[in-house]
Amino acid sequence: MKSVTVRELIKNIHLKPIYGEEYLDRPIVTSEISRPGLELAGFLNFYPAERIQLLGRTETSFVASMDEGIRLEVMERLCFIISRKLEPPKELVEAAAKAQIPILQATSKTTQVSSSVTNFLEGRLAERSSIHGVLLDVFGIGLLITGESGVGKSETALELVQKGHRLVADDRVELYQYDELTLIGE
């Protein structure tokens, strides 16, 4: 199963660890993110424990209104990124210590953080295929040239590069589906 560490996420999304730096090598195995409204209300029957939990202004306001005992019980099951430079509730820090989970802070709005994290994880966790061929950027469009060995793929690519186009990969091209409409090659 593919994974990305919390450390890699921090580096690529520019998040700030505010608790649990010793846990940054924990693996992330899914690109799905939760905004834990129902979970914070205590509905944990279908709780996706492997997902990153994203708290914004709405969620932190709700947490502040909860009874302290319930707050701690609910938070022991979650792993968090907090947006908008909001401070984590003390129960979250206690729960993170108990579960050995890092807490990360983002400066952006919650929707922007969600989008950035999802896009990064989708790209890194996507299933990849390796194809024998040459990949070029021709007028901003990916062009994949495939064929048997010796048919002239590299020579064709060289001609296109000499005309100002960009070589992306030669011989082995890694492909993955970024979203429903986008195929990425590298």
Side-chain angles (χ1 to χ4, degrees):
M1 179 180 287
K2 288 186 172 249
S3 67
V4 173
T5 65
V6 175
R7 186 178 312 280
E8 291 173 280
L9 179 68
I10 288 169
K11 179 181 174 193
N12 286 277
I13 306 299
H14 308 292
L15 301 169
K16 175 185 170 187
I18 55 176
Y19 174 79
E21 288 193 42
E22 62 271 28
Y23 311 126
L24 298 183
D25 291 319
R26 288 180 63 110
I28 300 168
V29 296
T30 181
S31 60
E32 295 180 78
I33 296 174
S34 287
R35 293 198 57 192
L38 286 173
E39 293 83 2
L40 291 173
F43 184 74
L44 298 164
N45 291 4
F46 302 102
Y47 172 65
E50 72 282 356
R51 291 184 186 177
I52 292 172
Q53 305 298 316
L54 178 59
L55 291 181
R57 189 176 292 147
T58 303
E59 293 84 3
T60 54
S61 300
F62 182 75
V63 167
S65 73
M66 293 170 71
D67 176 77
E68 242 181 271
I70 295 170
R71 244 189 281 183
L72 185 56
E73 181 184 330
V74 169
M75 297 223 180
E76 285 177 349
R77 300 178 181 222
L78 306 176
C79 169
F80 293 95
I81 296 176
I82 300 177
S83 64
R84 299 177 176 262
K85 283 188 161 178
L86 297 168
E87 290 300 315
K90 69 179 174 85
E91 292 84 4
L92 177 57
V93 176
E94 290 173 29
K98 188 173 181 179
Q100 299 184 335
I101 295 170
I103 301 172
L104 312 176
Q105 187 180 62
T107 57
S108 304
K109 291 187 246 176
T110 312
T111 52
Q112 290 173 330
V113 174
S114 179
S115 208
S116 296
V117 170
T118 300
N119 289 341
F120 171 73
L121 292 175
E122 286 286 336
R124 292 293 302 276
L125 298 174
E127 190 173 321
R128 294 171 185 270
S129 297
S130 185
I131 294 179
H132 178 71
V134 179
L135 180 62
L136 297 124
D137 175 345
V138 177
F139 298 120
I141 305 248
L143 173 66
L144 178 63
I145 304 171
T146 62
E148 296 296 318
S149 192
V151 298
K153 297 179 296 292
S154 295
E155 290 80 13
T156 303
L158 181 59
E159 289 292 324
L160 287 165
V161 168
Q162 288 175 344
K163 295 186 184 304
H165 303 290
R166 191 171 69 95
L167 178 68
V168 176
D170 188 21
D171 193 39
R172 277 278 153 221
V173 180
E174 292 286 321
L175 297 172
Y176 66 93
Q177 190 167 350
Y178 182 73
D179 60 31
E180 291 179 5
L181 301 174
T182 309
L183 189 64
I184 302 285
E186 49 191 29

